[in-house]
Amino acid sequence: MTLRGRHIVLVEDDEIMGGSVHQRLELEGASVTWVKLMGRGLSAIRTPRRPVDAVVCDIRLPDGTGEELYETLCRTSSPPPFLFITGQGGIDQAVRLLRAGAADYVTKPFDMGGFLDRLALILRPEEDAGLPPQTGISAGARRVDALVAEYAAGDHPVLIRGAKGLGKARLARRMHDQSDRRAAPFVERNSYRATGARPALAEAIGAVGEGTLFINGIERLSPRDQGRLFEALTEGAPFRTIASTWPDTEATEGGAVRADLLYLFAAHEVFVPPLSERPEDAVWLAGQFFEVLNGRRAAPLRGLSSHAEAALRAHDWPGNGRELRARLLRAVEAAQGDRVFPSDLFPEIGAESDRFPTLAQAREAAERQQIAAALSRTDGQVGEAAKLLRVSRTTLWEKMQKLGL
Amino acid sequence: MTLRGRHIVLVEDDEIMGGSVHQRLELEGASVTWVKLMGRGLSAIRTPRRPVDAVVCDIRLPDGTGEELYETLCRTSSPPPFLFITGQGGIDQAVRLLRAGAADYVTKPFDMGGFLDRLALILRPEEDAGLPPQTGISAGARRVDALVAEYAAGDHPVLIRGAKGLGKARLARRMHDQSDRRAAPFVERNSYRATGARPALAEAIGAVGEGTLFINGIERLSPRDQGRLFEALTEGAPFRTIASTWPDTEATEGGAVRADLLYLFAAHEVFVPPLSERPEDAVWLAGQFFEVLNGRRAAPLRGLSSHAEAALRAHDWPGNGRELRARLLRAVEAAQGDRVFPSDLFPEIGAESDRFPTLAQAREAAERQQIAAALSRTDGQVGEAAKLLRVSRTTLWEKMQKLGL
DNA sequence: CGAAAATGTTCGGATTTCCGAACATTTAAA
DNA sequence: TTTAAATGTTCGGAAATCCGAACATTTTCG
C-alpha cells in the first residue's frame, strides 16, 4: 500500500527534520499539511481542508507536547491515527500514548524507509481484512455476537454501548453486512469527529436511502439534530438506524440524549464489555493480530511466549482493542528472539511512574476543572460561563480548545 | 492624638484620590509612602524604610485587591493596622476584612475630617489605656489571669499559646508589669513581622538586660536562632523569657520548634481560649470597648441593645479580640439610634455569601497548593522546589511572595 | 570561624497570555 | 421561515508572566 493520495498532517517544529519528512512524503505522493505549533495542529486536524488520514507528530513542541495535542483531540473527537516522533528518553511518554490508543511511534534517529513502512501500516483501515467477524471467545463476547446476529434480522433501532477502542463501528458494520440491507448503503455519522470533518445529519440521511445509518456518538448530537432524528424514526423512515454511545462521565453530563429519543433505542441494546473484563479475549485478539502481522515479517516469529500471554491477561487495557493492536504492531516489529515476550509488548515496565506535577500542569488542571464547573453551572452557555469566570469569551474559548473541553 | 511623625503607607492607584490623601496626611505631619500597585505595597510594607504605623489601602487595585494584599501579609507576618477605602457595593468585602482582623474601612465618598479621625483611632496602640488588666470574666479567662499572676512572681520561661487577636503580647506585658523586673526593659522580638522590620535576636538579647524578652512566635525562629536562645536559657542568662506560639496548622507544619528548647517552656504554659469558647467574655469585652469609645462621641449612646449582646454571644469571632474591637469602633461610629444594635455590629447580615471563584482565583489556589506541596516535599528547599515545579528560582520566589507562602 | 551554598531580591528583555473587535456560521426563538 | 442571539474563530496589540543574570545577605557545613 502506498501513501499516494493520502492527506498527512505533520506537526514538527524542527526545520531540518520537518523539511526532510515533508519532502519525502510528497515524493511518495501524499498531500502534506506541515505545522510547527500544537495550536496550529489542533486547528489543522479539527477543521482540515480535506479529511486527515494520519498525523505525524513530534513529542516536544514549542507550545506544548504531542501528547497534549493527542489527548486534547480525544476529549472531543475521535482523532485520526497518530505516529509520534520521539527522541531518546521519551519512551515512557510514547508508551503512555500507546495506552491511550495512539497508533505508533518512531525514535530519533530513524531511517526514512522504516518510517514510511510504519506510516503505511497505520494508514490501513481499523477493520483488518484478516480478522474474523467475531468479538471474542469469552462468554461476554459470545453474548455480544449473538445479539448482533439476532438484531441484524430486524429493522428496529439498535444502541451499541461501550468504551472507545471496542470496535462499536465494526459491530454496526457487521450488523449491516448480516442484514437484508447489505446491498444498500452503510452511512456513518461520527459525532466525535471535528466539525469540519463530519457531514450534517441531513446530508447523511439524504445519502443512506434504504440502507443503514450509523450514528457514532448519539449523545453528541445537537438538540436540533436529535429532534430531526426522532422525527425520522417516528415517521417511518426507510432506513435502519444504529447508534453508539460512549459511557464516558463527561459525555453523559455534557450531552444528554432526550428521553423520548432514547426510548426508541431502549428495547434493543448491545453492551460491549471492556477488555479488562474479558482477559481471554485480549489473548485471543492478540493471537489474531499476531497471525496477520507475523505474516508480513521477512523472518516470521514462532508465536507469543506464555509469559507474554500472561502479561496480556494481567494488563488493564485502558485503550481496549486500539491499544492492543498498537502494542502488537510494535511487538512483532521489535521482537529480538523467535517469540514475542512481555518486554516487547510492555516496554514501559520499569519506567518511572510516579511524577510530581509541574506548576503549569497543576495550573492547567485547576483551570480545566474550574471551566468545567462553570460550564456545568451555566448549562453549557459559554458566554455566561465566561462572565462567571471573569474572562473574555475569546479567552474562554481558546482555553477550552487548549484544555480539551 | 495627631498623625505627626507617623509613617503611613498609602496604596491607591487613583491619581486624584491618592494625591488628595497624600497631601493632607503630609499636612498633618505624617510621613507617607504612596504606591499604586499591590505588589509595590507588599514590598513597601515588608521591607519599609522605617517601621509602618498604618496602611491606608484601596480595595480595587490594578494588580489585585487590597483584601489580597492584607491576607497575603497575614500569612507570613503580623501586618500593621489597615484602613480600607471602599466604594459602593464593596461592603461585603470590607466586612470580611473586619472578620479577618483589619482595623477599619471608609466608604467613598468621604469627608477628609472623618477619614483622619478614623485613621487616628486605629493608630492608637492595641492595649488601650481604658481597658482593665484582665482577660475576661469567664472561668477560662480567670484561669488565664490567675496563671499570669502566679508566673509573674517567677523567673522561669513561660509559653503563651493561643490564636491571633487574643492579646498574647498584652499578657506578656502584664506578666512583666506585675513582676519584680517591671523597672527593667521589656523587649519584644516579633517573628511574624516582615524581615526588614524585626531586629535580630542577638540585638534583642543585647537590649534586654535583666528585663523580660518576649518572643512573639517562637516557632518562626530560625534553627540557628533557636540554638542561640537555648544556649542563653541553659547558661543562666540574666533576663526572663516569655514566648508565644500561634497554634495555626501552617505554622506547626512549617516551623517546628526543637524539642529541647520546647522542653524548657513546657512546665509553664498559659493557654488562651478563643473568644468563640467564652461568649460571655465577648460581651464583657464589647462593653469595655463601648465605654472607652462612647466617651469620645459628641452625643453618647445609652448602651448595647440586648439583641446586640445576643448577637455578640452568637458570633464565632474568627478574628478574636482584634475583630471585636474593630466592630465596636464601627458600630459606635455608625449607630443611628440611641443604642448599638445587631445591624450596627454585623452589617454583613444579608450580604451574599456564595461566590463562584473566578478562573484567576482557581488558578491561584492551585498554584498555592502545588507550591506548598513542592516545598513540603523538599523540606523548604526553595531551589529544589523550583526544579520540581519546572520553574525558575526567580519565578517561584515571586509567586511565593504573591501567594503569601 | 571561614567558605560554600542557598536565599532574598531586583531588573530588563523575551515570551506568553489575555482581550476587544470583527466576521462567519450555527442555534434558538419568535 | 426569518431574525436575533450565541458560538466558532482569527488577529494584532496591550498587559502580564517568566526568566537569567546579578548582587547582597543569610544559613549551613566543614
Side-chain angles (χ1 to χ4, degrees):
Chain A
M1 173 180 273
T2 76
L3 301 179
R4 186 169 298 281
R6 299 308 193 106
H7 180 205
I8 312 292
V9 170
L10 172 63
V11 189
E12 167 67 66
D13 63 309
D14 185 88
E15 203 65 32
I16 299 173
M17 170 72 65
S20 298
V21 171
H22 180 269
Q23 185 185 34
R24 187 60 195 270
L25 288 175
E26 292 202 327
L27 279 175
E28 294 289 320
S31 167
V32 183
T33 300
W34 177 16
V35 297
K36 293 173 178 136
L37 297 174
M38 185 187 76
R40 298 282 191 185
L42 261 177
S43 300
I45 297 162
R46 275 189 169 141
T47 52
R49 299 181 276 98
R50 49 184 275 212
V52 179
D53 293 302
V55 178
V56 174
C57 190
D58 200 358
I59 291 280
R60 293 196 189 87
L61 298 167
D63 58 342
T65 65
E67 179 177 7
E68 290 169 340
L69 173 60
Y70 182 76
E71 300 205 338
T72 297
L73 286 163
C74 282
R75 282 192 201 100
T76 57
S77 61
S78 187
F82 266 62
L83 172 64
F84 283 99
I85 301 173
T86 179
Q88 301 297 337
I91 191 166
D92 59 334
Q93 205 168 15
V95 165
R96 279 201 309 278
L97 294 165
L98 291 184
R99 279 168 152 256
D104 206 352
Y105 66 96
V106 292
T107 307
K108 290 171 182 170
F110 53 85
D111 68 296
M112 195 60 75
F115 165 79
L116 293 174
D117 286 345
R118 210 177 284 284
L119 183 56
L121 273 179
I122 72 173
L123 280 167
R124 203 164 287 121
E126 284 253 341
E127 52 270 42
D128 276 356
L131 291 186
Q134 185 178 347
T135 300
I137 57 168
S138 68
R142 281 201 286 265
R143 274 197 291 278
V144 167
D145 289 339
L147 281 176
V148 165
E150 178 188 339
Y151 291 166
D155 271 336
H156 45 67
V158 174
L159 185 69
I160 305 173
R161 291 198 297 110
K164 68 180 181 179
L166 285 174
K168 296 191 296 291
R170 283 175 55 225
L171 285 177
R173 180 81 209 203
R174 270 166 55 200
M175 212 174 295
H176 171 77
D177 288 343
Q178 291 175 11
S179 72
D180 290 338
R181 301 169 185 268
R182 70 174 76 85
F186 175 86
V187 176
E188 175 178 342
R189 171 50 162 86
N190 193 335
S191 302
Y192 297 113
R193 285 207 174 282
T195 310
R198 71 173 187 262
L201 183 67
E203 189 184 333
I205 290 177
V208 70
E210 292 187 340
T212 301
L213 174 66
F214 174 51
I215 312 287
N216 198 343
I218 191 171
E219 75 285 357
R220 294 295 294 263
L221 287 179
S222 71
R224 170 157 292 199
D225 276 346
Q226 288 187 28
R228 288 199 184 98
L229 183 60
F230 181 81
E231 250 183 69
L233 293 182
T234 50
E235 284 171 12
F239 55 90
R240 159 28 98 72
T241 307
I242 302 173
S244 76
T245 188
W246 172 355
D248 176 73
T249 309
E250 287 178 8
T252 303
E253 283 181 16
V257 182
R258 45 188 277 182
D260 53 358
L261 179 58
L262 221 48
Y263 178 79
L264 297 178
F265 289 88
H268 299 92
E269 281 193 15
V270 180
F271 173 67
V272 190
L275 271 185
S276 57
E277 290 178 18
R278 42 191 182 97
E280 63 269 47
D281 281 350
V283 175
W284 174 82
L285 200 54
Q288 300 298 318
F289 281 130
F290 177 82
E291 293 305 320
V292 172
L293 300 170
N294 194 41
R296 295 180 189 138
R297 273 181 62 107
L301 303 173
R302 292 179 56 192
L304 303 173
S305 75
S306 56
H307 285 107
E309 291 183 351
L312 288 165
R313 279 193 203 90
H315 191 60
D316 62 350
W317 300 110
N320 285 295
R322 211 172 283 156
E323 178 191 355
L324 193 144
R325 178 172 178 270
R327 285 187 183 276
L328 259 298
L329 274 166
R330 282 213 56 82
V332 170
E333 192 77 14
Q336 298 296 320
D338 62 342
R339 288 180 182 277
V340 170
F341 291 94
S343 58
D344 298 320
L345 288 162
F346 304 100
E348 75 274 23
I349 291 171
E352 160 187 47
S353 59
D354 182 8
R355 292 200 312 129
F356 194 93
T358 68
L359 194 61
Q361 285 167 344
R363 193 188 299 135
E364 265 194 33
E367 286 190 334
R368 179 178 294 119
Q369 184 180 352
Q370 197 65 12
I371 291 172
L375 287 168
S376 176
R377 181 118 151 198
T378 62
D379 295 312
Q381 292 262 319
V382 176
E384 293 303 311
K387 286 173 187 167
L388 207 49
L389 295 166
R390 304 287 180 88
V391 291
S392 77
R393 213 173 51 77
T394 309
T395 299
L396 183 53
W397 184 80
E398 282 168 352
K399 280 188 183 291
M400 285 169 72
Q401 291 310 300
K402 183 187 172 190
L403 300 172
L405 291 162
Chain B
M1 170 180 273
T2 76
L3 302 179
R4 186 167 299 281
R6 299 309 193 112
H7 181 203
I8 312 291
V9 171
L10 172 64
V11 190
E12 167 68 67
D13 63 310
D14 186 86
E15 201 66 32
I16 298 173
M17 170 70 68
S20 299
V21 171
H22 180 271
Q23 184 184 35
R24 187 58 194 273
L25 287 176
E26 293 203 326
L27 279 174
E28 295 289 320
S31 168
V32 182
T33 300
W34 177 16
V35 299
K36 293 171 177 140
L37 296 173
M38 184 187 79
R40 296 285 192 183
L42 259 177
S43 301
I45 296 163
R46 277 194 169 136
T47 53
R49 299 180 280 97
R50 49 185 273 213
V52 179
D53 293 302
V55 179
V56 175
C57 191
D58 201 357
I59 291 279
R60 291 194 189 88
L61 297 167
D63 58 342
T65 65
E67 179 176 8
E68 289 168 342
L69 172 60
Y70 183 76
E71 300 207 336
T72 297
L73 288 163
C74 283
R75 282 193 200 95
T76 57
S77 61
S78 189
F82 265 62
L83 172 64
F84 284 97
I85 301 174
T86 178
Q88 303 296 339
I91 192 165
D92 61 332
Q93 202 169 19
V95 164
R96 278 202 308 281
L97 295 166
L98 291 185
R99 278 166 152 259
D104 206 352
Y105 66 96
V106 292
T107 307
K108 292 171 183 171
F110 54 85
D111 69 298
M112 194 61 76
F115 165 78
L116 293 175
D117 286 343
R118 210 179 285 282
L119 183 55
L121 274 178
I122 73 172
L123 279 168
R124 202 163 287 121
E126 285 252 339
E127 51 272 39
D128 276 355
L131 289 188
Q134 186 177 346
T135 301
I137 57 167
S138 69
R142 282 202 285 268
R143 273 197 291 280
V144 168
D145 290 339
L147 281 176
V148 165
E150 179 188 337
Y151 292 166
D155 272 336
H156 44 67
V158 175
L159 185 70
I160 305 173
R161 291 198 296 112
K164 70 179 183 183
L166 285 174
K168 295 190 297 293
R170 282 173 56 224
L171 285 177
R173 179 83 210 200
R174 271 167 53 200
M175 213 174 296
H176 171 79
D177 288 344
Q178 292 176 11
S179 73
D180 290 338
R181 299 170 186 270
R182 71 174 75 84
F186 175 85
V187 176
E188 175 177 340
R189 166 68 159 73
N190 194 334
S191 302
Y192 295 113
R193 285 208 174 281
T195 311
R198 73 172 184 263
L201 182 68
E203 189 184 333
I205 291 177
V208 73
E210 292 188 336
T212 301
L213 173 65
F214 174 51
I215 312 288
N216 198 343
I218 191 171
E219 76 284 358
R220 294 295 293 265
L221 288 179
S222 71
R224 172 156 292 199
D225 276 347
Q226 288 187 29
R228 287 203 184 95
L229 183 60
F230 181 81
E231 246 183 74
L233 293 182
T234 51
E235 283 171 14
F239 54 91
R240 163 16 103 74
T241 307
I242 302 173
S244 76
T245 189
W246 173 356
D248 176 70
T249 307
E250 286 178 10
T252 303
E253 283 182 15
V257 180
R258 48 187 275 184
D260 52 359
L261 178 58
L262 219 47
Y263 179 79
L264 297 178
F265 289 87
H268 300 91
E269 280 195 17
V270 181
F271 174 67
V272 190
L275 272 185
S276 57
E277 290 179 18
R278 43 191 182 97
E280 63 270 46
D281 282 350
V283 175
W284 173 82
L285 199 54
Q288 300 298 318
F289 281 130
F290 177 83
E291 294 303 323
V292 172
L293 300 169
N294 194 42
R296 294 179 187 137
R297 274 183 59 111
L301 300 172
R302 291 181 55 192
L304 302 173
S305 75
S306 57
H307 285 106
E309 291 184 351
L312 289 165
R313 280 192 201 92
H315 191 60
D316 63 350
W317 300 110
N320 284 296
R322 210 172 284 155
E323 178 192 354
L324 192 144
R325 179 172 177 272
R327 285 187 182 277
L328 257 298
L329 273 167
R330 282 211 56 80
V332 170
E333 191 80 12
Q336 297 296 319
D338 63 339
R339 287 181 182 275
V340 169
F341 291 93
S343 59
D344 298 319
L345 288 162
F346 305 99
E348 74 275 23
I349 291 170
E352 153 187 55
S353 59
D354 182 8
R355 291 200 312 130
F356 193 91
T358 68
L359 194 61
Q361 286 169 343
R363 191 189 300 134
E364 263 193 36
E367 286 190 335
R368 179 178 293 120
Q369 184 180 351
Q370 196 65 13
I371 291 171
L375 288 167
S376 177
R377 181 118 153 195
T378 61
D379 296 311
Q381 292 259 318
V382 176
E384 293 303 310
K387 286 172 187 165
L388 208 48
L389 295 164
R390 303 287 180 88
V391 292
S392 78
R393 213 174 50 78
T394 309
T395 299
L396 182 54
W397 184 81
E398 282 170 351
K399 279 187 181 295
M400 284 169 72
Q401 292 311 300
K402 182 188 173 190
L403 300 173
L405 291 162

